[in-house]
């Protein structure tokens, strides 16, 4: 939890307030607009809204756990409700949860590259190594054979 808190503090300090850019003119003054029915209701309910601290992380951690049902964590954080309640924390969560998981296939290819570049082949360029690894992957997965078969069929 300590590492997550430290990450949150760094992330929070780097972000400007997401609401700062909303309804602002170029000179930095708020744009005056007429209140609609929803805005008037929201103003009257303003006194009933739970007071939140200055730290979204603290607010989130002190709340009861929420059952998100069949939603993924990323889908839950992308909901407007969470984005309004935790503007900076939701951005951090979306950034972190959007990182794709590492593929085992990529790791196998990387390890295979070390076997390709033996001590006798240390002069091989990165471009040549990339071509060799790509061809090896295509051959193992059958793509290369299918391509060769298709090419031979076109020559007939």
């Amino acid at each position: 939890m300590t590492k997550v808190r430290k990450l949150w503090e760094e992330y929070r300090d780097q972000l400007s307030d997401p609401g700062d850019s909303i309804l602002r003119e170029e000179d930095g003054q708020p744009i005056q607009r007429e209140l609609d029915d929803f805005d008037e209701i929201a103003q009257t309910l303003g006194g009933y809204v739970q007071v939140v601290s200055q730290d979204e992380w603290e607010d989130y951690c002190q709340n009861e756990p929420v059952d998100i049902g069949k939603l993924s964590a990323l889908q839950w954080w992308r909901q407007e409700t969470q984005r309004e309640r935790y503007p900076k924390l939701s951005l951090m969560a979306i950034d972190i949860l959007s990182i794709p998981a590492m593929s085992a296939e990529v790791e196998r290819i990387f390890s295979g590259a070390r076997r390709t570049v033996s001590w006798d082949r240390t002069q091989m360029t990165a471009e040549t190594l990339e071509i060799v690894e790509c061809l090896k992957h295509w051959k193992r997965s059958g793509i290369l054979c299918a391509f060769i078969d298709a090419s031979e069929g076109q020559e007939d």
Side-chain angles (χ1 to χ4, degrees):
M1 216 44 162
T2 306
K3 290 183 180 184
V4 177
R5 172 176 273 299
K6 185 177 178 183
L7 177 65
W8 159 244
E9 290 169 357
E10 291 173 12
Y11 202 92
R12 177 193 60 206
D13 294 341
Q14 290 176 359
L15 286 176
S16 63
D17 188 6
D20 283 349
S21 60
I22 299 173
L23 299 177
R24 299 270 180 195
E25 291 181 356
E26 289 180 19
D27 62 358
Q29 298 299 317
I31 297 172
Q32 297 298 322
R33 64 179 177 88
E34 213 173 296
L35 295 178
D36 61 13
D37 292 339
F38 179 76
D39 291 331
E40 289 174 8
I41 293 170
Q43 277 187 339
T44 60
L45 292 175
Y48 301 104
V49 176
Q50 180 183 358
V51 177
V52 294
S53 72
Q54 296 297 317
D55 190 358
E56 295 174 30
W57 171 259
E58 286 296 323
D59 295 339
Y60 176 77
C61 289
Q62 290 179 7
N63 283 336
E64 291 293 319
V66 177
D67 180 17
I68 62 174
K70 294 185 179 185
L71 295 175
S72 70
L74 180 58
Q75 290 170 328
W76 188 81
W77 278 107
R78 291 186 64 220
Q79 290 178 337
E80 196 62 33
T81 310
Q82 278 58 257
R83 297 188 78 173
E84 287 176 3
R85 188 169 187 185
Y86 309 107
K88 291 181 181 181
L89 187 60
S90 66
L91 290 175
M92 182 179 110
I94 291 167
D95 282 351
I96 291 171
L97 295 170
S98 297
I99 298 170
M102 187 64 163
S103 169
E105 181 66 22
V106 174
E107 293 175 11
R108 278 193 295 274
I109 291 170
F110 181 79
S111 297
R114 179 61 194 119
R115 288 187 292 275
T116 301
V117 183
S118 64
W119 291 111
D120 298 334
R121 296 180 173 173
T122 55
Q123 297 296 317
M124 184 183 293
T125 66
E127 185 178 312
T128 305
L129 177 60
E130 184 178 356
I131 292 168
V132 168
E133 289 303 311
C134 185
L135 288 171
K136 281 175 30 180
H137 175 69
W138 287 354
K139 183 167 182 4
R140 265 186 257 130
S141 62
I143 295 171
L144 190 59
C145 293
F147 178 75
I148 291 171
D149 293 343
S151 297
E152 290 174 354
Q154 289 179 353
E155 290 177 7
D156 292 342

